[in-house]
Amino acid sequence: MKQRVVVYKKLPEALAQRLQSEFDVSWFDRVTEANRADFIAALKTAHGMIGASLPITNAMLEGAPELKIASTISVGVDNFDLEYFRQRGLMLAHTPGVLTEATADTIFALILSTARRVVELAGYVKAGQWKGSIGEAQFGVNVHGKTLGLIGMGRIGSAVARRAHHGFGMPILYHNTRPNPEAERELDARYVSKEELLAQADFVCLMLPLMPATERMIGAREFGIMKRSAIFINASRGRIVDEAALIRALQDKTIYGAGLDVFEVEPLPVESPLLTLSNVVALPHIGSATHETRLAMAELAVTNLIAGLRGEPVPHLAV
């Protein structure tokens, strides 16, 4: 008898057929309030599950005694309770590596567009406000040669640092759980304390996973240490930042601006003050959102799932 799999994210047709040929599959393009009960019911007999963008609670999994593996189409695993997976002996697979370059591109796009006010001034032109030569009121700030501070220096942080060092001549400061000798050797990056990074960097990029130790680690104190000319970039997870403190820092010009791809609540509520601030570039969590990268992520997640259900080594296990 075929093992049973629950899919809770739309997959490319070829990957869907690959799963269908080997498993008994229950399909949910996405989970809503209308089909949530059916999704939970499907989990009760599932041996594997694959999807993204849905918090998977322990209560959902308690009624799934046959479950062996969950495969998430993401590098982040904050939608799962890792300790619960360890206690039950469940496998949790994810998709690191394949999204590194696309996400680093997005982060550098935020750096450039915030510094040069690209989104704001594109709107200025489209609104018919460009009547002559621009003045100081529309000036931005340089990126080339400015100091980049990376809080976190893993795969994506290193990819951003390469772009900054080789393409823009930026000195690199970083703070990490441990030094990164390769980045120091190849990119002339310098390991510093978080406080020194915040005080010296012209661009502060947050590059951390969400976990209890990192939740709301950037708040009013940290924004107060930054230069008033500093630009804050976050494309990791919104809940690592105290969003109310960020809004105050932007409103009060404690910092110059922010480029954000992630938020405490997503989608960003229409009443958020972030949507009214001219010194904010806000994106709809598009870090890895290219056709090529999302396909590669889905392919890796399916490969992870199949390996786990066959009893073979899983290429990328988070737990």
Side-chain angles (χ1 to χ4, degrees):
M1 186 173 67
K2 288 183 176 181
Q3 295 187 88
R4 291 174 291 278
V5 166
V6 174
V7 178
Y8 58 98
K9 181 87 170 179
K10 187 174 177 61
L11 294 175
E13 185 60 31
L15 294 177
Q17 290 178 4
R18 185 179 172 193
L19 289 180
Q20 190 76 59
S21 69
E22 190 162 344
F23 306 107
D24 181 359
V25 184
S26 297
W27 303 97
F28 298 86
D29 285 354
R30 66 189 184 96
V31 177
T32 65
E33 286 305 314
N35 65 8
R36 190 179 183 86
D38 293 334
F39 170 73
I40 293 172
L43 286 178
K44 291 181 179 179
T45 59
H47 298 92
M49 61 190 299
I50 181 170
S53 306
L54 176 71
I56 302 298
T57 66
N58 297 348
M60 289 177 178
L61 301 179
E62 281 296 326
E66 303 296 324
L67 193 70
K68 300 175 184 177
I69 182 171
S71 182
T72 180
I73 311 172
S74 65
V75 64
V77 292
D78 45 285
N79 278 328
F80 304 85
D81 182 341
L82 304 191
E83 187 55 36
Y84 177 85
F85 272 71
R86 293 187 186 100
Q87 289 176 0
R88 268 194 61 178
L90 300 174
M91 292 179 285
L92 175 59
H94 64 152
T95 61
V98 294
L99 51 67
T100 297
E101 300 303 332
T103 304
D105 284 348
T106 300
I107 291 165
F108 224 89
L110 284 169
I111 291 172
L112 289 167
S113 59
T114 308
R116 298 303 306 270
R117 300 170 63 181
V118 170
V119 176
E120 176 191 357
L121 294 179
Y124 172 85
V125 173
K126 287 187 174 183
Q129 295 175 290
W130 185 27
K131 304 295 184 182
S133 296
I134 65 167
E136 287 191 16
Q138 288 81 38
F139 288 177
V141 296
N142 283 348
V143 175
H144 191 277
K146 295 291 184 71
T147 298
L148 175 65
L150 297 166
I151 302 179
M153 185 64 100
R155 291 185 183 91
I156 298 172
S158 296
V160 173
R162 286 197 305 274
R163 287 157 172 76
H165 175 74
H166 293 299
F168 289 81
M170 302 176 79
I172 310 295
L173 304 177
Y174 77 99
H175 181 73
N176 202 36
T177 52
R178 62 184 67 85
N180 186 325
E182 183 179 350
E184 293 177 11
R185 183 176 61 253
E186 295 183 3
L187 305 172
D188 199 26
R190 186 160 65 91
Y191 181 85
V192 295
S193 69
K194 185 176 74 172
E195 286 69 25
E196 184 176 351
L197 184 152
L198 292 171
Q200 293 189 18
D202 297 299
F203 297 88
V204 175
C205 290
L206 195 56
M207 313 292 300
L208 299 174
L210 176 63
M211 56 183 69
T214 62
E215 188 161 6
R216 293 201 167 203
M217 71 173 291
I218 303 296
R221 173 183 173 275
E222 288 71 27
F223 292 121
I225 297 173
M226 293 181 198
K227 298 178 180 180
R228 292 186 72 86
S229 58
I231 290 174
F232 177 69
I233 305 293
N234 187 13
S236 51
R237 287 293 186 267
R239 284 163 47 203
I240 301 175
V241 179
D242 180 341
E243 198 166 279
L246 171 60
I247 290 168
R248 288 194 298 271
L250 291 163
Q251 290 172 331
D252 298 342
K253 303 298 175 63
T254 302
I255 60 174
Y256 179 85
L260 308 170
D261 190 37
V262 292
F263 306 90
E264 282 191 4
V265 176
E266 297 180 5
L268 185 64
V270 294
E271 66 272 14
S272 172
L274 291 170
L275 296 176
T276 67
L277 295 171
S278 62
N279 56 345
V280 173
V281 174
L283 299 178
H285 203 148
I286 64 166
S288 63
T290 68
H291 292 293
E292 301 92 336
T293 299
R294 289 292 174 87
L295 176 58
M297 291 169 67
E299 288 174 338
L300 180 52
V302 168
T303 297
N304 285 334
L305 178 73
I306 291 174
L309 292 176
R310 288 177 177 174
E312 300 169 354
V314 178
H316 291 285
L317 279 177
V319 175

